[in-house]
Amino acid sequence: MIKELLEDAKKNAQKNAVSIWRGDLTTLDCDAIVNAANSTLLGGGGVDGAIHRAAGSELLHECADLHGCTTGAAKITFGYSLPASYVIHTVGPIYNADGDIAAQRLELASCYQSSLDLAYKHHLHSIAFPAISTGAYGYPVEEAARIALLTCTAWLNAHPDYGMNIILTCFNSAVLNAYQAIIAAAQKGELE
Ligand code: APR
């Protein structure tokens, strides 16, 4: 499955792209960066804290007017002092190994889908994601990376002529290694 999606995405490479990048996404000068927020949208730690610190207090003021966000949904604000023009805030699932794994998988996929749909609605053409839910929310990195890559490549293949540059950012080697392993396996046809 992912192999075909990656091949299709490559065919549209002149318009669409998905790449893996190691670093701090608050430094990226793209149309939008995605925040792995919580449902209050009033800031937190991790990438949420980093984005709010880099954006400045105006971001919190705009977020306060959004009245929160449900898991899997996405809302957009300006980027203020960030290099990125916009921040798309999404709320990932809190991983629960004893819970409904299929539902959590769908919620995480929805974070990527909703963020991409919102970027499309606002005519944006470059978007950087953190590895949503893999920090404080405890989602297993390998599975989260697989969901991210599958959802993003499927979105690109559903919008072949749009021209969206998706950057999947890795803030640590575990996430980087997970993405690289999935892409390598897909290219060898070892993933369905
Ligand atoms: N740039 C890119 N990625 C980052 C950055 C950064 N500056 N800072 C952290 N990350 C990565 C983490 O290493 C992790 O892989 O973002 C991923 C998501 O981790 P968290 O930020 O902890 O987000 P999440 O697991 O979705 O938990 C969300 O944590 O910060 C709170 O308010 C937030 O309650 C919410 C919860």
Side-chain angles (χ1 to χ4, degrees):
M1 174 72 164
I2 288 187
K3 182 173 185 291
E4 288 72 24
L5 289 171
L6 281 170
E7 282 163 1
D8 288 352
K10 205 176 289 178
K11 271 188 252 150
N12 301 308
Q14 73 282 6
K15 295 187 189 317
N16 287 333
V18 56
S19 60
I20 312 300
W21 179 79
R22 170 127 194 214
D24 175 354
L25 93 170
T26 65
T27 65
L28 291 177
D29 177 12
C30 46
D31 290 346
I33 60 172
V34 175
N35 183 18
N38 59 59
S39 58
T40 69
L41 293 187
L42 297 179
V47 71
D48 194 2
I51 288 172
H52 276 273
R53 282 192 299 277
S57 58
E58 293 171 288
L59 177 60
L60 186 59
H61 294 149
E62 186 175 2
C63 284
D65 290 339
L66 295 177
H67 305 298
C69 184
T70 54
T71 300
K75 292 190 177 180
I76 193 168
T77 65
F78 290 109
Y80 299 104
S81 302
L82 284 162
S85 304
Y86 296 92
V87 180
I88 291 176
H89 306 262
T90 190
V91 181
I94 299 172
Y95 185 71
N96 173 6
D98 300 324
D100 184 343
I101 299 296
Q104 293 170 50
R105 191 173 290 146
L106 288 173
E107 285 173 333
L108 184 56
S110 178
C111 289
Y112 291 91
Q113 181 79 34
S114 306
S115 300
L116 287 163
D117 289 344
L118 196 52
Y120 177 81
K121 182 181 167 193
H122 288 265
H123 311 293
L124 308 183
H125 290 274
S126 56
I127 183 169
F129 286 96
I132 299 166
S133 282
T134 64
Y137 281 3
Y139 212 101
V141 170
E142 290 74 14
E143 179 60 11
R146 188 177 179 285
I147 292 165
L149 209 50
L150 191 61
T151 308
C152 290
T153 43
W155 192 94
L156 291 179
N157 294 317
H159 303 80
D161 300 320
Y162 176 67
M164 181 69 87
N165 178 19
I166 299 174
I167 304 158
L168 297 174
T169 70
C170 314
F171 203 54
N172 57 51
S173 53
V175 173
L176 177 66
N177 295 340
Y179 278 129
Q180 288 176 332
I182 292 162
I183 289 171
Q187 285 164 344
K188 284 188 278 182
E190 290 166 3
L191 287 180
E192 79 285 355

